[in-house]
Amino acid sequence: MKCDKCDQPATVHLIEIVNGKKIEKHLCEKHAVEEGVTVKMTAAPINDLLEKFVMKQTGEAETVERQACESCGLTWDQFRKRGLLGCPGCYRVFADQLMPLLERAHEGSNQHVGKAPRCAGAGELRQQRLMQLRRELDQAVAAEQYERAAALRDEVDHLEQDDT
Amino acid sequence: MPEHTDRASDWMKGDGPFSDVVMSSRVRLARNLAGFPFLSKTSATQRREIACACRDHLMDSGIAESMLWVDLPDSSEMDRQILVERHLISRQHAKGGEPRGVAIALDESVSVMVNEEDHLRIGVLRSGMQLDDGFAHANQIDDLLEQRAGYAYSSRFGYLTACPTNVGSGIRISVMLHLPALVMTGEIEKVKQAANDMHLAVRGFHGEGTEATGDLYQISNQTTLGRTEQEMLADFQREIIPKVIEYEHAARQAMADRRTYLLDDRIHRAQGVLTSARLLSSSEALALLSHLRLGVSMGRIADIELGLINELILLTQPAHLQRIAGGRLDGEQRREFRAEFVRRRLTGG
Ligand SMILES: [Zn+2]
Ligand SMILES: [Zn+2]
């Protein structure tokens, strides 16, 4: 793909949402700098960050957009529109895409160093399992499968008790 | 509802350290329960379940001697507005009908929002510059809650929050500053620029997305990942806020030395209008109270307590004013009642 402004190959692909409309820009290195899209940004509000999010073409942009979190169903595209993740699992599923965003929002950092819950670490798998169970429970209730719901409820309670 | 909506909360009394410049200190921790989606992806049932679980944890954890739970969908619009004006809930939290609420300690030093952007937003408020104390309290509440509620946490990203801008420590440290002399001298722009360069947010009296009115500015951190709570606190406590206080003090001194008449004119004009006007809008009242506050804290006006001015800043807001009047007032009636109320309180009548 060629740059919008000259014949050089476009290396920077910018998707901006302006007033709800998606505007795409494809630029070469030089014009990207001129347009100011590759300058290092200071911490900006998340929406600003997302709207100006520069995605280097990797050929998998499309699949990334449609990739969904298996726990909550959120797609990367939905996240970019609202700026909110759907569940704790999203941080794992979208870790690669979140990394540059986190670094820009947090002065270059992508690793937690502060306070940790006393029982940290051991709980992460159980948290995922709990979420899965709750989702099935919700579906069972919605489908009026009360016996199945009761069994799932027991399992949730059981796991929760282990938690504390 | 908090019992005494006709007077200020303790944290607004204006008796904390550096209260001539610092109105209040606030520490907020964002937390989510493990095993549930974040709020944008919860079903109605899950939302209710989260609200109930959080309420039970909050009421049973012995956080304060006496905790009040306010179910927001069941509250009147006026009550919710009162909570917003008292800084006990955010504007966003006052809206919408989904299950959500707030737990408030009786002295209003603690408010925990449930089902705002995150499942839990633990907030602690203090009068004047008391961030260390505020954080210690928030941290203690967090420990108590953690024993009952499992938090969504990963060793890589810390406490997991709906918005990635809060992830990590989930902490927001905010200090509400009264900076009238920096505004009068135009130096406030330099403060905003410096704050911006340091990755700090500068907001108005009412938080997110509001313009500064009454020369009140709220400075808070934006970075929550990769720095410990103690590092962030030390920055605020020992570097950032003392510098701004010093700057405001220097601007006040410069005004007093070089623009004496202008300064005294602003201060006494404000007192004059506040004690004799017959109609006052809320923004006019706030602007004048700001100048009066400056006069009092510089010792250029006697016989008025800082606490009274802080109280008037709170009570002249629309919902509080109507609560005091005992019923709904339209805009015109409010301006009239506000003028009378301020006049009465300032002249001791
Ligand atoms: Zn080009
Ligand atoms: Zn998810």
Side-chain angles (χ1 to χ4, degrees):
Chain A
M1 189 180 286
K2 276 183 189 169
C3 169
D4 293 344
K5 307 215 160 182
C6 70
D7 282 340
Q8 292 295 312
T11 52
V12 176
H13 306 269
L14 178 72
I15 301 160
E16 271 182 313
I17 314 278
V18 182
N19 297 328
K21 275 201 192 119
K22 196 161 137 183
I23 296 170
E24 287 186 42
K25 285 181 186 171
H26 308 280
L27 302 164
C28 69
E29 214 94 303
K30 175 173 149 270
H31 281 107
V33 173
E34 270 180 27
E35 284 269 297
V37 296
T38 59
V39 294
K40 193 177 167 291
M41 276 192 292
T42 54
I46 185 74
N47 286 332
D48 224 37
L49 268 179
L50 292 168
E51 281 166 18
K52 292 175 185 161
F53 192 58
V54 178
M55 198 183 283
K56 293 259 182 194
Q57 188 155 39
T58 55
E60 58 182 12
E62 269 301 296
T63 50
V64 166
E65 298 286 291
R66 270 189 254 119
Q67 186 189 345
C69 168
E70 73 269 19
S71 301
C72 73
L74 183 91
T75 64
W76 181 247
D77 200 38
Q78 284 172 335
F79 166 69
R80 288 184 44 182
K81 285 195 182 106
R82 292 197 53 187
L84 294 173
L85 292 166
C87 77
C90 287
Y91 278 97
R92 189 173 29 81
V93 176
F94 299 117
D96 288 347
Q97 294 98 298
L98 280 170
M99 222 48 101
L101 224 142
L102 287 171
E103 284 166 7
R104 261 178 289 181
H106 299 284
E107 299 174 70
S109 174
N110 61 34
Q111 171 65 54
H112 176 56
V113 292
K115 184 179 180 179
R118 243 158 290 171
C119 55
E124 280 175 49
L125 268 175
R126 195 167 48 211
Q127 288 177 21
Q128 269 170 303
R129 177 79 187 128
L130 253 179
M131 185 123 64
Q132 177 63 29
L133 283 171
R134 282 220 172 85
R135 201 170 165 211
E136 286 172 26
L137 174 61
D138 243 37
Q139 288 162 352
V141 171
E144 300 185 19
Q145 300 167 337
Y146 296 115
E147 235 167 273
R148 180 171 151 72
L152 284 163
R153 162 61 55 199
D154 284 348
E155 210 174 327
V156 167
D157 287 347
H158 197 76
L159 255 167
E160 269 189 329
Q161 244 127 59
D162 287 357
D163 230 12
T164 46
Chain B
M1 287 302 298
E3 257 177 89
H4 305 288
T5 47
D6 58 340
R7 56 177 172 81
S9 335
D10 284 348
W11 63 266
M12 266 211 124
K13 289 274 163 66
D15 50 4
F18 301 104
S19 55
D20 62 328
V21 177
V22 183
M23 299 280 287
S24 59
S25 312
R26 182 209 293 262
V27 174
R28 184 219 70 191
L29 301 173
R31 299 287 187 260
N32 287 279
L33 302 187
F36 283 102
F38 299 141
L39 290 158
S40 62
K41 283 285 178 188
T42 46
S43 64
T45 325
Q46 285 174 329
R47 210 173 244 268
R48 213 169 306 120
E49 217 177 313
I50 295 165
C52 287
C54 289
R55 186 195 57 210
D56 292 348
H57 295 323
L58 283 163
M59 303 312 272
D60 300 341
S61 297
I63 289 169
E65 262 179 47
S66 200
M67 277 308 257
L68 175 75
W69 171 260
V70 182
D71 227 358
L72 289 167
D74 292 341
S75 309
S76 72
E77 205 192 313
M78 178 89 87
D79 283 353
R80 281 181 268 157
Q81 202 48 45
I82 293 255
L83 295 175
V84 172
E85 289 178 0
R86 292 179 93 75
H87 292 254
L88 295 169
I89 63 172
S90 64
R91 290 190 166 198
Q92 182 191 335
H93 203 42
K95 293 181 202 139
E98 295 93 10
R100 70 204 193 290
V102 59
I104 304 167
L106 214 60
D107 65 359
E108 298 179 38
S109 63
V110 178
S111 79
V112 185
M113 291 190 282
V114 171
N115 285 357
E116 204 235 26
E117 188 178 283
D118 294 299
H119 299 160
L120 286 161
R121 287 272 173 103
I122 303 164
V124 170
L125 281 153
R126 285 286 186 277
S127 186
M129 187 64 187
Q130 299 193 64
L131 279 176
D132 282 338
D133 192 49
F135 173 69
H137 196 180
N139 197 33
Q140 183 198 348
I141 294 168
D142 187 47
D143 287 343
L144 286 169
L145 286 174
E146 184 207 303
Q147 290 171 14
R148 290 159 183 273
Y151 285 146
Y153 176 88
S154 89
S155 43
R156 177 72 201 256
F157 298 122
Y159 293 95
L160 303 176
T161 52
C163 182
T165 53
N166 297 317
V167 81
S169 57
I171 196 171
R172 176 165 290 163
I173 301 165
S174 322
V175 179
M176 182 81 79
L177 298 156
H178 183 225
L179 306 173
L182 288 174
V183 173
M184 281 182 198
T185 53
E187 296 292 300
I188 193 72
E189 289 309 316
K190 288 182 198 159
V191 175
K192 287 191 204 165
Q193 193 52 54
N196 206 38
D197 292 346
M198 296 175 74
H199 304 278
L200 302 169
V202 181
R203 301 187 175 88
F205 184 44
H206 290 292
E208 212 116 359
T210 63
E211 280 293 305
T213 40
D215 310 315
L216 294 168
Y217 292 86
Q218 194 176 304
I219 297 187
S220 48
N221 67 297
Q222 303 197 92
T223 301
T224 51
L225 194 61
R227 308 205 52 207
T228 65
E229 292 84 347
Q230 286 73 18
E231 286 171 335
M232 316 265 328
L233 277 166
D235 272 5
F236 268 77
Q237 193 91 345
R238 286 182 257 295
E239 302 282 333
I240 299 160
I241 303 303
K243 290 253 164 61
V244 181
I245 295 174
E246 196 189 316
Y247 202 2
E248 168 68 19
H249 281 162
R252 288 181 187 186
Q253 197 53 52
M255 291 289 294
D257 292 345
R258 298 202 286 271
R259 309 296 303 275
T260 321
Y261 282 98
L262 180 73
L263 175 68
D264 282 331
D265 181 70
R266 292 268 170 92
I267 292 168
H268 291 283
R269 186 181 294 273
Q271 188 180 24
V273 175
L274 287 167
T275 51
S276 44
R278 293 303 189 260
L279 290 172
L280 270 180
S281 71
S282 62
S283 59
E284 188 186 9
L286 190 51
L288 294 168
L289 285 167
S290 164
H291 289 166
L292 187 62
R293 194 182 191 278
L294 176 66
V296 171
S297 48
M298 289 182 79
R300 299 178 98 81
I301 283 196
D303 302 329
I304 297 178
E305 300 272 323
L306 216 51
L308 173 61
I309 299 174
N310 288 359
E311 193 160 80
L312 288 175
I313 288 174
L314 173 75
L315 299 180
T316 52
Q317 297 177 92
H320 274 85
L321 207 67
Q322 294 179 75
R323 177 56 52 83
I324 293 164
R328 286 205 82 83
L329 303 173
D330 66 28
E332 180 80 15
Q333 291 169 321
R334 278 209 296 275
R335 284 195 289 281
E336 200 182 319
F337 186 79
R338 184 179 290 113
E340 194 207 317
F341 177 71
V342 170
R343 202 166 66 236
R344 199 154 26 93
R345 293 296 300 269
L346 284 178
T347 54

